[in-house]
Structure formats: C-alpha cells, structure tokens
Amino acid sequence: MKTLFRVSFLLLGIVIFAEAATRGDVKVIEASENIRYLSQKIVKDYLFLYKNPEQRDVKNRLKKELNMLSSDLRVIATTTKDSDTKDMLEFLAYSKDQIEEIFNEKPDEEKAALMLDYSETLLEGADSIARAHKYDFSNEEKMLMATKKIEYLLERVTKYYMALNTGFDNTTNKEQLNKAMIQIEENLLKLSIYNYPKEIKSIQQELDTSWTPTRKFFNQSNTLFIPKLMLISVSNLENIVSQLTLYHSKNQ
C-alpha cells in the first residue's frame, strides 16, 4: 500500500511539473508573439516619424512600445530555464538598448536603415525563442495563433509600405511586402473556414471585407503613398482582429 501511494504521489508530481512547464511555455510564447508584433510596429512608427518629425504623438507612442518590449523581455527572462533562450535574450536586450539610443537622436536615413535591421533581428530572436518553447497546440490555440499572426503581419506589411516610400525602395523590401500580404490571406482563410457562432462570424466577415480595399492600396504603393490613411486602415483591421483574438482566448 505504501509503495502504491509513493508511485501515485510521484506520478502526480510529474503531471504537476508537466502542467507547470506548459504554463511557462505558454507565457514565453505569448511574450515572443508580442515581441514579434512590436518588432514590426516600432519600426513602422519610426519610419513614419522619419517622414513626419514634427509628430510628437508618434514619439510618445514609440516610447510606450519600447517599454512594452522591455516588459516582454523581462517576462521571458523570469520564466525560461532554457540556456539558448537566455543567450538570445542578451542579444535582444542589446538590440533594444540600441533602438533606445536611436530614439534619443534626430531621425535620419542612416538611423532608419539601422531600425529596419533591428526589426529583423528582434523578429528572428522572437521566432527562435518561440521554437524553443513550442508544444502541441489545441485547435483553439491554433486559431488564436492565426489571429496573432495576422496582427503581426499587418504591422509587417505596413512597415515595408513605409520603407518603400522613405528611401528603401529595393527588390527585397518589395518581395517582403508581397510575402506578408500572401501570409495575411492564408491566415484569413483559416478564420473564414472556422465554425464561428453567428455574432462572431459577422466580425470575421467584416475583417475580410475591410482587408480587400486595404490590400489594393498596398499593391499601389509605388504610385500612391498615403501613410496616414493606411495607418488608420491598418489600425481598424487590428481592432477587428482583436475581437476574434479575444473570442479564441476565452474559448481555449
């Protein structure tokens, strides 16, 4: 009887440990998703500031975004026990410090180019951390990740839209913009075939309807540059996506 109790206790401990590890992985993955999103948003807003240096509200927004980035890095640092992740965090923290230095100086083309590089550095780091903490997602978690990916991709496509019209009109940036739009539509398709209840389905359909004209403007980036309007349009799309994100978050 004592042996049976001891085995049961050990098995219970293993289950509790596994659940705790999974909760830790979830926290790290959520933080890495936030970093992925911020890696694009920060640079998109910086490129807008570069073209419109008088916009004080953009400077304030950039400071808030940098604080959010610092917070997500802290979450990962206090949660992970993975040595590779800890090494990556040091690299990302350095990149964050470099971005902060750029924020404190007057925007120019050289700094904008550096910001584009740091954007990809943060993105690659976030991807690496997420891979180190991946686990088998439930169907609902997969849908949640699809909505989070759309949010990140909306920022990414807008970043390249801004880049192409602020002195960085090259083949690589054009390809990245087109690739991001394709990925947005792949994830929109995942949402469109999901069996939503009626009231949520209308939100998903609104997202599809709102994306169509926005995509046309992105396709005309070489001939029509309307950054303020595009930022408003993307913000509206993200507000719609956030409602679907909330739905899937509650239904996990």
Side-chain angles (χ1 to χ4, degrees):
M1 187 69 179
K2 287 182 180 179
T3 302
L4 178 61
F5 175 79
R6 189 179 300 112
V7 171
S8 298
F9 182 79
L10 288 171
L11 287 173
L12 177 61
I14 292 170
V15 170
I16 291 172
F17 176 79
E19 289 180 348
T22 301
R23 283 196 297 271
D25 287 336
V26 169
K27 285 181 68 176
V28 171
I29 290 171
E30 286 178 347
S32 65
E33 283 297 317
N34 291 339
I35 294 170
R36 182 182 283 120
Y37 173 80
L38 289 168
S39 72
Q40 307 303 298
K41 184 173 178 56
I42 286 173
V43 180
K44 177 207 73 178
D45 287 342
Y46 184 85
L47 291 173
F48 184 81
L49 179 65
Y50 170 49
K51 291 292 287 186
N52 303 272
E54 75 285 353
Q55 297 285 329
R56 187 169 298 177
D57 59 321
V58 180
K59 292 181 181 179
N60 293 333
R61 188 161 68 240
L62 281 165
K63 289 179 182 178
K64 289 180 181 178
E65 291 162 3
L66 192 62
N67 288 336
M68 292 168 65
L69 177 60
S70 297
S71 177
D72 288 315
L73 292 173
R74 282 196 297 273
V75 167
I76 296 174
T78 56
T79 305
T80 189
K81 290 179 171 56
D82 181 73
S83 58
D84 290 338
T85 297
K86 288 182 179 294
D87 290 341
M88 180 59 69
L89 277 175
E90 290 186 19
F91 186 52
L92 295 186
Y94 171 79
S95 298
K96 188 268 297 180
D97 290 342
Q98 295 300 112
I99 290 172
E100 189 169 11
E101 285 187 21
I102 291 174
F103 280 4
N104 293 325
E105 300 172 358
K106 185 178 179 180
D108 59 33
E109 185 174 349
E110 182 182 356
K111 295 182 183 67
L114 284 171
M115 288 293 285
L116 283 166
D117 288 341
Y118 285 127
S119 171
E120 294 304 287
T121 297
L122 290 172
L123 177 60
E124 290 170 10
D127 286 344
S128 174
I129 290 171
R131 285 194 297 270
H133 293 269
K134 67 181 180 180
Y135 64 99
D136 291 332
F137 291 137
S138 67
N139 288 335
E140 209 60 48
E141 285 173 329
K142 288 178 182 177
M143 295 307 298
L144 176 62
M145 295 300 288
T147 64
K148 298 295 287 183
K149 192 163 187 178
I150 291 171
E151 291 174 335
Y152 139 72
L153 287 167
L154 284 169
E155 291 297 326
R156 185 167 179 79
V157 74
T158 314
K159 179 189 79 173
Y160 283 113
Y161 172 80
M162 292 297 302
L164 289 170
N165 289 278
T166 52
F168 305 97
D169 185 358
N170 57 58
T171 302
T172 299
N173 289 342
K174 289 176 183 175
E175 289 175 349
Q176 290 296 335
L177 183 145
N178 290 328
K179 183 179 178 180
M181 286 198 291
I182 291 170
Q183 290 175 328
I184 287 173
E185 294 185 340
E186 289 173 348
N187 284 278
L188 287 175
L189 179 60
K190 292 179 184 178
L191 301 185
S192 71
I193 61 179
Y194 182 86
N195 187 26
Y196 287 110
K198 185 177 180 180
E199 66 276 13
I200 305 300
K201 185 64 177 178
S202 64
I203 297 172
Q204 180 271 315
Q205 290 172 336
E206 182 186 0
L207 179 60
D208 277 346
T209 302
S210 299
W211 165 247
T212 301
T214 306
R215 191 191 199 288
K216 290 180 180 178
F217 283 121
F218 280 132
N219 276 330
Q220 297 173 342
S221 60
N222 286 340
T223 57
L224 185 63
F225 184 50
I226 43 175
K228 289 184 179 180
L229 181 60
M230 293 305 289
L231 263 59
I232 292 171
S233 179
V234 167
S235 178
N236 176 60
L237 284 166
E238 289 183 358
N239 286 335
I240 300 171
V241 177
S242 69
Q243 296 177 63
L244 298 176
T245 300
L246 181 61
Y247 171 81
H248 289 295
S249 180
K250 287 182 176 179
N251 283 274
Q252 288 187 67

